[in-house]
Amino acid sequence: MMTISYTDTDIDGIGVTFDGVNASIDVVWIIMCAALVFMMQAGFALVEVGTVSMKNTKNILIKNMVDVSIGCISFYLLGYGFAYGGSNPFIGGDNFALSGIRNKTAYPDASYDGAQYAFFFFQFAFAATAATIVSGAVAERCRFIAYLTYSFSLTIFIYPVVVHWGWSGTGWASAFVDKDDRLFGVGVIDFAGSTVVHMVGGTTALVAAIFLGPRTGRFGKKAFPLPQQSALFQTLGVLILWFGWYGFNCGSTLTVKGSAAPVAGLAAATSTISATVAGIVSACFGYIFEKKICIHRINNGILAGLVSITAGCSVITPEMSLIVGFLGGCIYFASSVMLEKLRVDDVVDASPVHLFCGAWGTLAVGFFAHPDLVATAYGTGSCGAFYKCDGNGGKQLGANIVFIIAVLAWCTFFACIIFGILMYIGRLRVKKETERIGMDAKEHGGPAYEHPITIPTKRQFNMRSDSTSVVVVNEAADEDKHVYN
């Protein structure tokens, strides 16, 4: 992510500053891109609703709305200060509740700095994204109070500290500190957050899914598919996420002045190429190993390609983005199959997409970052290991590896504490009867749809644990099945 700075130069004494005009354009740019990122919440909601059964529709939608609401309040009060306040290399210590945004850098006649407020909005949208990643992994069996607890913790402390490390002007891993203070002399390059955003959410999702355990009937002697509401919702959700990703990656320039506009253009191109290649690769693997072309493999493959290129979208050439997307599709499919073999029930494959591909995306920068593109986007002399740039190629790879390990350890530690405590006090997973009936009926006042929704009887629900059979509940005609309105 690039940095913001403005100066004022009067244009022929007409009272309009050249950089002031540019600053206004940049504010609009940041707000528009932040709005695209914010709209990704709709994409997450559709993907998750489409992947769960009808009886948990309201629960998913409420959780996504709560993510945004809690994320905004917590990030405003403390999270933004932890991320971008102070000079401590580990954590920010001021600017809480936006108290530090009172200067007149860009607008001498204003009582506030609009660019910095826009920047807060942009960063909040990223924080909400990191939190929402977890929602799909824990769907259909996580208590609402547990969800509130982790969402609050993630946006107020866990995620902001990682942001401070990698993106602030004082973080220990940041590429924006003085050269002598940069990690290995180069600092981490994670332009739009393969690790800062996606690994944080993906790691938390994996830990949560492990602590929660699988949904009833998901695994017996083998893995069994459970009812899903709509492939249409899933696909529309992915398309909305893909659309919003251009705000994510292109918007991380934070400006359109000078070289930033070409950087944004490159980010758009590499993001598109990586996404399409990964989607095709994932679909091909599904056909080869699963003997069918599944829509969820294509959808998640596209998301895997987007996550994989997010760190390096501004410093990797289009031809190299083909490789990044190809390997991203491979890593997604392999990690998804691996977790299923390990009996980890990640409902929407959040951790294969965001954790494993997020780590790969940041590693890819260490291999493929082009020295000329790094100089344009970051103003430094670093590059990936496949290039020569004053011996810094290996240093960039090393810095990114260290950052990945640090973020993985940080998020795993706190996620284990949070979900471990919730499990110990019995506030992590819903009761079996609630899981059978659905959380909409038990906790949210009834189903999301007016037409009857079929639910299994206790006998049928318990039969799901039978390793030799799966109960398919689609019809209400059988006397052993009943509906609620």
Side-chain angles (χ1 to χ4, degrees):
M1 190 168 289
M2 300 178 79
T3 57
I4 288 181
S5 62
Y6 300 114
T7 57
D8 298 307
T9 305
D10 195 15
I11 302 176
D12 296 330
I14 61 175
V16 177
T17 61
F18 176 77
D19 284 337
V21 171
N22 278 349
S24 297
I25 295 172
D26 287 342
V27 169
V28 174
W29 167 254
I30 294 171
I31 292 174
M32 288 178 60
C33 291
L36 286 175
V37 177
F38 184 81
M39 196 175 70
M40 292 172 72
Q41 295 294 325
F44 281 118
L46 282 171
V47 169
E48 293 166 23
V49 165
T51 308
V52 303
S53 62
M54 286 185 176
K55 63 186 179 182
N56 292 309
T57 300
K58 277 187 178 179
N59 181 259
I60 292 295
L61 297 176
I62 290 171
K63 284 178 179 177
N64 282 11
M65 296 303 289
V66 166
D67 265 337
V68 174
S69 302
I70 287 185
C72 179
I73 296 170
S74 58
F75 196 68
Y76 162 72
L77 291 175
L78 292 177
Y80 187 75
F82 287 146
Y84 288 102
S87 58
N88 189 309
F90 180 78
I91 187 172
D94 56 33
N95 205 15
F96 301 117
L98 304 184
S99 59
I101 306 179
R102 296 292 185 270
N103 62 72
K104 303 177 182 180
T105 307
Y107 302 96
D109 298 326
S111 60
Y112 57 88
D113 188 340
Q116 297 297 330
Y117 286 118
F119 183 66
F120 161 76
F121 174 44
F122 188 73
Q123 291 299 324
F124 145 70
F126 275 51
T129 298
T132 306
I133 288 169
V134 187
S135 175
V138 302
E140 301 197 286
R141 77 265 198 214
C142 182
R143 281 180 179 261
F144 192 65
I145 186 62
Y147 191 83
L148 294 179
T149 301
Y150 104 78
S151 182
F152 177 77
S153 302
L154 196 73
T155 51
I156 202 169
F157 181 68
I158 299 173
Y159 169 77
V161 170
V162 175
V163 172
H164 187 81
W165 293 353
W167 284 346
S168 74
T170 57
W172 63 267
S174 176
F176 304 116
V177 299
D178 293 337
K179 184 175 181 180
D180 293 341
D181 297 328
R182 293 174 193 160
L183 182 63
F184 298 151
V186 293
V188 66
I189 292 181
D190 184 7
F191 188 72
S194 286
T195 290
V196 172
V197 178
H198 295 284
M199 267 195 69
V200 170
T203 302
T204 307
L206 179 59
V207 173
I210 292 172
F211 271 90
L212 272 167
R215 291 165 292 171
T216 301
R218 180 67 176 91
F219 298 106
K221 290 182 178 179
K222 62 178 182 179
F224 295 120
L226 294 181
Q228 295 187 3
Q229 182 170 164
S230 172
L232 173 62
F233 286 173
Q234 296 172 26
T235 304
L236 286 175
V238 169
L239 288 171
I240 291 173
L241 287 170
W242 192 351
F243 182 71
W245 225 288
Y246 294 109
F248 215 97
N249 288 1
C250 303
S252 289
T253 60
L254 303 178
T255 177
V256 289
K257 294 199 302 289
S259 62
V263 170
L266 174 66
T270 55
S271 298
T272 306
I273 293 168
S274 180
T276 52
V277 171
I280 293 171
V281 168
S282 179
C284 290
F285 275 117
Y287 182 75
I288 293 170
F289 294 103
E290 299 171 341
K291 308 305 179 185
K292 53 189 175 183
I293 300 175
C294 291
I295 187 63
H296 82 278
R297 290 300 187 195
I298 300 172
N299 287 339
N300 282 334
I302 288 170
L303 297 180
L306 289 166
V307 172
S308 297
I309 199 62
T310 293
C313 60
S314 64
V315 296
I316 290 177
T317 63
E319 54 269 25
M320 287 301 182
S321 69
L322 285 167
I323 299 175
V324 173
F326 178 85
L327 292 177
C330 297
I331 290 168
Y332 155 69
F333 187 87
S335 58
S336 175
V337 172
M338 178 189 71
L339 291 183
E340 187 175 276
K341 295 291 185 183
L342 294 174
R343 304 169 73 89
V344 175
D345 187 14
D346 184 338
V347 180
V348 298
D349 270 350
S351 44
V353 169
H354 298 279
L355 167 56
F356 292 93
C357 291
W360 157 240
T362 308
L363 279 176
V365 174
F367 290 115
F368 304 129
H370 193 284
D372 294 340
L373 299 179
V374 173
T376 301
Y378 281 82
T380 65
S382 181
C383 66
F386 286 1
Y387 297 94
K388 294 181 179 180
C389 51
D390 299 328
N392 282 342
K395 293 181 180 179
Q396 190 62 66
L397 178 61
N400 283 25
I401 290 174
V402 169
F403 189 62
I404 290 170
I405 294 172
V407 172
L408 183 64
W410 172 261
C411 295
T412 301
F413 175 76
F414 281 101
C416 286
I417 290 176
I418 293 169
F419 293 111
I421 292 174
L422 288 168
M423 184 174 67
Y424 179 77
I425 64 177
R427 293 293 182 268
L428 180 58
R429 182 167 179 146
V430 299
K431 295 180 179 179
K432 197 170 184 178
E433 179 66 6
T434 301
E435 189 178 354
R436 180 183 75 86
I437 296 174
M439 284 180 276
D440 288 0
K442 196 72 174 179
E443 299 182 354
H444 306 303
Y449 302 97
E450 292 185 0
H451 60 78
I453 299 175
T454 305
I455 61 174
T457 64
K458 290 183 179 180
R459 181 172 65 84
Q460 291 171 329
F461 188 73
N462 290 332
M463 285 176 63
R464 285 183 176 178
S465 299
D466 185 352
S467 61
T468 60
S469 63
V470 180
V471 177
V472 180
V473 184
N474 285 325
E475 302 175 1
D478 192 314
E479 63 180 3
D480 275 340
K481 304 184 180 93
H482 62 280
V483 301
Y484 62 82
N485 293 304

